[in-house]
Amino acid sequence: MTEKIIMIASSKGGVGKSTAALGIATALVRKGRKVLIADLDFANACLDILTGVQDSVLCTLQDLARERAAAKDALVRIDIPHKKAKRFSKSDPIRTGELWLLPSSVGAVDGEFFNDFSYAQNMCRGIKEASELIGADFIILDTGAGINDGTAIAATFAESALVVTGQMPVAVRAAQSTAERLLSLGVRDIRLLVNSFDAKGVLGGAHRRGLFTVIDESHIPLAGVIPYDYGLLLSHEGLAGALDAADTAFDNIASRLEGNNVPIFTGIKNLRKLKKKICL
């Protein structure tokens, strides 16, 4: 397998890691990619709720780790409303992407990774087996707040990390500390994802941090910016919000993960016009 393995991380809770992970995964699926998303937020697993499949979960990553189930038993397919299917070249057929979830148990106990190394080995093996079963092009590893078992397990085989932050000072500082810890765990390709970026707050009297300030204070190169979008708030509640600017931003990030050079704010007209004012 030559799948790309990307972990989503932040030591700050509430910055939207799971919605960002799901948004990127969905954008990749709509580009014709097969994506496996694994919920490594052991304390507050929520991807099954965000995808609406909580009643379909029979086995979890914890069952794989304890060798109580096989990867095929834990996989749950997620239905994604497809836009127009993408043809990669004239000689290639049109490809239809797929999204599969490996859910986690709700309120799973943290600490088993450090107490029993075989636990982590079995979980990593289960994720790789699931990836091979579906022929995944990408594996997205969603982790919980802080540097915990899920983060440590993801760092053992992730090729790159997207550190999620908002504009608030505590989130930016958390992004910096997260990057430092990930480096200590062996992750070398670390990029910043600014979520729910409030352009009006930068331009108005709120004096919110501009994009360059967030990048400078976090000391992390930028991977993408997700503008504030009410649909994202609805998705936090597992509701089908109509995304506009955020959907386009996720599509841009997915294209960059595929290796394409896509400028920031491509396709987001209102932010492109304000780029010089909101970046400082």
Side-chain angles (χ1 to χ4, degrees), residues 45-258:
C46 67
L47 284 175
D48 58 326
I49 294 176
L50 292 180
T51 53
V53 298
Q54 61 268 38
D55 294 333
S56 300
V57 174
L58 299 177
C59 301
T60 65
L61 280 165
Q62 285 72 23
D63 293 314
L64 303 187
R66 300 182 184 109
E67 298 184 296
R68 297 191 304 211
K72 63 181 178 62
D73 301 317
L75 278 167
V76 180
R77 181 164 179 168
I78 309 300
D79 292 326
I80 298 294
H82 282 271
K83 297 180 179 179
K84 186 178 180 180
K86 182 173 176 97
R87 187 185 295 276
F88 285 81
S89 71
K90 291 183 179 180
S91 60
D92 283 343
I94 293 177
R95 302 181 188 178
T96 302
E98 296 175 4
L99 179 60
W100 293 81
L101 169 67
L102 278 177
S104 182
S105 299
V106 178
V109 178
D110 206 27
E112 293 185 68
F113 168 70
F114 297 103
N115 296 330
D116 184 359
F117 187 65
S118 64
Y119 180 88
Q121 286 182 314
N122 291 339
M123 187 171 288
C124 291
R125 188 182 302 115
I127 294 172
K128 293 294 286 185
E129 287 178 1
S131 174
E132 292 171 0
L133 282 172
I134 68 171
D137 300 301
F138 287 85
I139 301 175
I140 307 293
L141 305 172
D142 182 33
T143 65
I147 304 299
N148 46 43
D149 279 9
T151 309
I153 291 172
T156 60
F157 68 111
E159 299 167 339
S160 59
L162 295 178
V163 176
V164 182
T165 186
Q167 290 159 276
M168 51 281 205
V170 291
V172 177
R173 177 178 289 180
Q176 181 184 1
S177 64
T178 301
E180 292 171 353
R181 291 295 301 276
L182 291 177
L183 282 170
S184 72
L185 291 170
V187 182
R188 294 291 174 259
D189 182 16
I190 302 172
R191 304 279 172 173
L192 186 70
L193 182 61
V194 183
N195 196 23
S196 291
F197 184 76
D198 178 16
K200 291 182 178 179
V202 177
L203 297 174
H207 304 295
R208 303 207 72 185
R209 281 164 164 69
L211 186 57
F212 288 165
T213 301
V214 173
I215 297 170
D216 289 344
E217 292 183 359
S218 67
H219 305 292
I220 309 172
L222 185 67
V225 179
I226 309 299
Y228 173 81
D229 192 325
Y230 182 66
L232 280 178
L233 295 181
L234 293 180
S235 66
H236 271 288
E237 299 180 34
L239 302 176
L243 301 184
D244 184 11
D247 206 21
T248 302
F250 284 130
D251 187 69
N252 291 342
I253 294 167
S255 293
R256 294 184 196 111
L257 293 176
E258 290 181 317

